Amino acid sequence: MDESRDEPRGPVEPTASAAGALRPSWRYRVSGGFWEERMRVNREVTIPLGPERLEEAGNLENFRLAAGGGSGPYQGPVFSDSDVYKWLEAAAWEQGREPSPTLAGLQAPMTRLVASAQAPDGYLNTFYQCHPERDPHFSELTFGHELYCAGHLFQAAVAAVRSGGSTELLGVSGRFASHLATVFGPDRRQGVPGHPEVEMALVELYREGGDARCLELARYFVDARGNRLLPLERFDSPYFQDHLPVRKATTPEGHAVRALYLAAGAADVAAETGDATLLDSLRVQWDNMVASKTYLTGGLGSRWEGEAFGDPFELPPDLAYCETCAAIASVMWSWRMLLATGDPSFADLIERTMFNAVIAGVSLDGTRFAYVNPLQVRSTGEQVSERSAGYGRRAWFGCACCPANVMRTLSSWEHYFVTVSPAGVQLQQFGTGTFSAMTPAGPATLLVNTDYPWDGELDIEVLDAPGGSWELSVRAPGWCREPTGRLNGREDLEPTGGYLRATRAWVPGDRLEVRLPMPARRTSADPRVDAVRGCVALERGPLVYCFEGADLPGGADLERVVLPEGPLGTRALAGLTAGAVGLGVDALSLDIETSDGLYKTPSDPTPTGSTELRLTAIPYFAWGNRDIGAMRVWVPRA
Ligand code: FUB
Ligand code: ZN
């Protein structure tokens, strides 16, 4: 990476000596199409709502209280500070994309407020500062979230400086991290955070400021975990990933966001310390997660109890938890694994998760949020919590970890599109826009035109090239059966190792046409997933589709719908998002009579009759944006 170039840098920036096959490239500049709309709504609608919601929920008043200028009691959960930090992080990435005076006007006072609450010894956590009777600090590691909040502060600070903004939070973070280094460590206090997050943040702080104590502390937290250091409260050790050292774990367990943030931090530690054993263990965990604990949408966490991973193949669609934060954490982990290994499977999961599980977490108009993201909502379902998806997305939550997490993810998303290696440049994610990258021969600039994900054609043109030879690689997505590439209208490219690759001395005007045919497809459920055995889901390209009650003819009941074999058609969808493509499919609505009022059918379960329907499936991410009602991804085969 050419450090001399004045480019905004991203959330993960390994040092020059870090181990890894790939490096993040400079930010992609999305200028049109699908992601432009999602990111514009995030910038213009969602992020500006944040300060108002944080004020209403009391998060900002907590900082005033801690600084000595507020009134009233502390408000919200113990980790309220983290929502403020996530918002600051989101605003910072936006400034890196394009300066916004509006956001700057919101950011600056919030930054000052945060700084004003820091204690002279560097400590900062408004819950504990407002509850001096709960001193000493860090004595409630199991649920205290002091280190979790510190992590989000550090990430906000790093985002600000990498986007060319204020260094004020970096100063605050440096003082807090120094304080932490006097408290924890192999020769000091033995303990780990009840909620991982600080590990990856400490590594990033190390990467930004070079303070080796930050890396040491991150390594300590990763190494110490799994030795049952956390006093148990409410849950057993696996909930906290404290039952088994990270190196010995073979699958993510327990609270999903905790497990995935820990894995992301461990990947950072592995990269910076060159710890191949740790990386190998993370690879095993990731493979097992994808094979048996990941929903079709990329969502993670099948249990409401403990917001947790379930057993392998325990993936009920209706009871799924699939917290938006868990999907985001998965993207963060996979990105680090992609950088470490170069294996495009990680970028495949990032794509699936972003298009489905992550952006389902925010309404299309950007004003409301989902916390839980099931793959089925029943028409008659009772909603058990404000987090229940059946209520529809909500303006905010008592526990509002997800909304600002979506904000920071979409505002930094352009940093996940392109990687570089000693061989050349890899286009990992697709959207209309331009990007510059440092090739082995020098900087090059390329233009991408595409309607992705609505169609699979990518037209890539070289605008500027350094002259020497280098490889341009385009990820061939795992969902695509026959990816092809054609160079300058003549030379055909075959995928190798998950990428379409071409090496040459590129010159301005060179064109690579990539074709990723995306016929609508039926995906069968793995029979080991009992809850959806015999069901089928519809997918097209990277998108998972669902059926919504709103699209059923009056009176039809989604729980009675079954899908016979037959062709799938595509059709334009109005009123959701620009260019959206729906899938047309023939279905049957079964007449089912129960024998005695219980859930069972008579001994012969053959329905007494059926009605033919022509249904339209919509992209899963867009569900719940009209009348809220029944929804399902997996539908029984007829
Ligand atoms: O504990 C902080 C956050 O609140 C977690 O990451 C979420 O799962 C929610 O429990
Ligand atoms: Zn959350």
Side-chain angles (χ1 to χ4, degrees):
M1 181 69 62
D2 176 9
E3 295 296 345
S4 62
R5 190 171 154 136
D6 190 18
E7 283 282 336
R9 290 165 298 130
V12 182
E13 296 287 349
T15 60
S17 61
L22 309 178
R23 289 287 192 262
S25 183
W26 296 321
R27 180 175 68 83
Y28 194 94
R29 286 172 165 73
V30 171
S31 59
F34 183 87
W35 285 119
E36 191 279 334
E37 185 178 345
R38 297 273 54 83
M39 289 191 286
R40 180 165 35 81
V41 170
N42 187 50
R43 177 185 176 92
E44 293 177 2
V45 179
T46 315
I47 296 176
L49 286 174
E52 211 177 287
R53 307 263 158 94
L54 292 168
E55 198 63 86
E56 282 162 14
N59 305 57
L60 297 175
E61 188 64 10
N62 291 339
F63 279 93
R64 290 184 201 107
L65 272 177
S71 60
Y74 176 93
Q75 296 171 72
V78 62
F79 47 85
S80 288
D81 294 0
S82 60
D83 301 338
V84 172
Y85 301 145
K86 282 185 219 171
W87 185 87
L88 282 167
E89 184 184 339
W93 295 128
E94 285 301 330
Q95 298 294 7
R97 293 182 62 221
E98 191 184 333
S100 157
T102 314
L103 287 181
L106 297 165
Q107 258 177 301
M110 211 186 285
T111 299
R112 276 195 300 276
L113 178 60
V114 166
S116 70
Q118 185 166 39
D121 66 357
Y123 182 83
L124 178 51
N125 183 286
T126 70
F127 177 82
Y128 285 94
Q129 288 167 290
C130 293
H131 292 92
E133 74 282 5
R134 295 178 79 150
D135 267 359
H137 295 151
F138 307 112
S139 56
E140 299 178 331
L141 285 177
T142 308
F143 274 108
H145 286 75
E146 288 153 293
L147 292 162
Y148 169 87
C149 290
H152 281 296
L153 166 66
F154 300 167
Q155 288 177 325
V158 165
V161 291
R162 289 189 181 161
S163 304
S166 147
T167 56
E168 193 168 2
L169 288 182
L170 195 64
V172 172
S173 298
R175 288 189 288 281
F176 198 179
S178 296
H179 178 71
L180 294 181
T182 65
V183 177
F184 293 100
D187 308 325
R188 288 175 286 278
R189 167 105 187 261
Q190 303 293 298
V192 295
H195 195 313
E197 154 68 27
V198 77
E199 300 81 355
M200 62 179 141
L202 278 165
V203 175
E204 225 50 53
L205 208 51
Y206 158 73
R207 289 168 170 167
E208 199 50 44
D211 183 346
R213 291 174 306 167
C214 293
L215 178 59
E216 278 314 308
L217 194 51
R219 172 157 54 181
Y220 165 72
F221 285 142
V222 169
D223 284 347
R225 202 167 198 93
N227 294 300
R228 300 186 191 266
L229 283 175
L230 283 168
L232 291 185
E233 216 183 307
R234 283 176 44 206
F235 295 99
D236 225 335
S237 298
Y239 169 92
F240 302 100
Q241 302 75 42
D242 199 24
H243 60 303
L244 203 60
V246 180
R247 281 181 178 71
K248 295 206 170 134
T250 54
T251 174
E253 299 279 357
H255 183 269
V257 184
R258 281 173 169 81
L260 296 163
Y261 280 174
L262 173 64
D268 284 329
V269 168
E272 290 300 337
T273 60
D275 188 335
T277 320
L278 181 56
L279 183 67
D280 289 347
S281 142
L282 293 169
R283 172 84 218 206
V284 170
Q285 291 185 47
W286 190 91
D287 285 343
N288 284 332
M289 176 181 85
V290 172
S292 67
K293 294 193 175 185
T294 304
Y295 283 92
L296 192 65
T297 54
L300 296 156
S302 34
R303 296 186 186 169
W304 276 68
E305 173 69 10
E307 307 182 300
F309 282 105
D311 290 333
F313 303 106
E314 179 190 336
L315 295 165
D318 44 359
L319 300 176
Y321 199 71
C322 288
E323 182 180 341
T324 305
C325 285
I328 290 169
S330 163
V331 169
M332 295 166 85
W333 179 21
S334 292
W335 176 241
R336 288 155 172 83
M337 298 300 285
L338 173 66
L339 297 178
T341 64
D343 181 344
S345 317
F346 295 108
D348 279 349
L349 185 67
I350 291 174
E351 174 181 75
R352 175 175 292 277
T353 309
M354 281 300 291
F355 273 116
N356 300 290
V358 172
I359 59 170
V362 59
S363 59
L364 293 173
D365 69 4
T367 61
R368 290 166 295 116
F369 307 93
Y371 189 119
V372 165
N373 296 278
L375 282 74
Q376 179 173 10
V377 173
R378 294 175 190 282
S379 49
T380 51
E382 188 188 341
Q383 310 311 326
V384 296
S385 137
E386 67 162 0
R387 284 169 271 158
S388 295
Y391 279 129
R393 296 182 184 81
R394 300 176 83 78
W396 211 244
F397 299 92
C399 167
C401 48
C402 300
N405 222 358
V406 176
M407 296 179 206
R408 71 172 181 152
T409 303
L410 282 170
S411 62
S412 56
W413 176 225
E414 289 175 327
H415 290 283
Y416 293 76
F417 275 52
V418 186
T419 51
V420 290
S421 72
V425 178
Q426 304 81 36
L427 183 59
Q428 304 284 3
Q429 304 297 338
F430 314 134
T432 289
T434 51
F435 68 97
S436 295
M438 180 54 79
T439 77
T445 301
L446 292 90
L447 167 72
V448 180
N449 265 307
T450 181
D451 257 340
Y452 201 82
W454 310 121
D455 107 7
E457 303 193 353
L458 309 172
D459 289 335
I460 304 168
E461 182 185 347
V462 176
L463 298 182
D464 199 12
S469 174
W470 50 280
E471 181 185 73
L472 173 60
S473 312
V474 179
R475 179 175 58 93
W479 56 258
C480 185
R481 294 229 169 115
E482 291 176 355
T484 59
R486 173 162 281 210
L487 185 56
N488 291 333
R490 294 187 298 274
E491 197 183 325
D492 288 329
L493 310 179
E494 293 291 327
T496 51
Y499 294 97
L500 292 156
R501 307 166 193 260
T503 302
R504 63 193 262 113
W506 298 87
V507 295
D510 277 348
R511 300 186 99 89
L512 181 57
E513 294 161 316
V514 173
R515 299 293 175 256
L516 306 172
M518 49 169 70
R521 58 190 192 274
R522 290 169 192 262
T523 301
S524 296
D526 187 313
R528 290 170 291 184
V529 184
D530 311 68
V532 291
R533 184 177 297 148
C535 288
V536 69
L538 306 186
E539 296 185 88
R540 182 169 180 267
L543 298 176
V544 174
Y545 279 71
C546 69
F547 295 96
E548 248 192 326
D551 293 315
L552 262 59
D557 174 4
L558 194 48
E559 280 91 61
R560 290 168 185 262
V561 169
V562 296
L563 293 184
E565 288 300 322
L568 298 170
T570 55
R571 51 179 66 164
L573 286 174
L576 289 172
T577 180
V581 174
L583 302 182
V585 60
D586 289 327
L588 296 175
S589 173
L590 301 183
D591 304 333
I592 302 173
E593 285 176 15
T594 52
S595 56
D596 54 9
L598 293 179
Y599 63 87
K600 58 190 173 59
T601 55
S603 53
D604 177 359
T606 309
T608 50
S610 63
T611 312
E612 289 184 6
L613 305 173
R614 180 79 186 156
L615 294 185
T616 299
I618 66 164
Y620 171 79
F621 73 79
W623 91 272
N625 279 279
R626 299 170 294 177
D627 287 347
I628 187 77
M631 178 276 290
R632 70 189 301 181
V633 169
W634 291 108
V635 179
R637 290 172 192 278

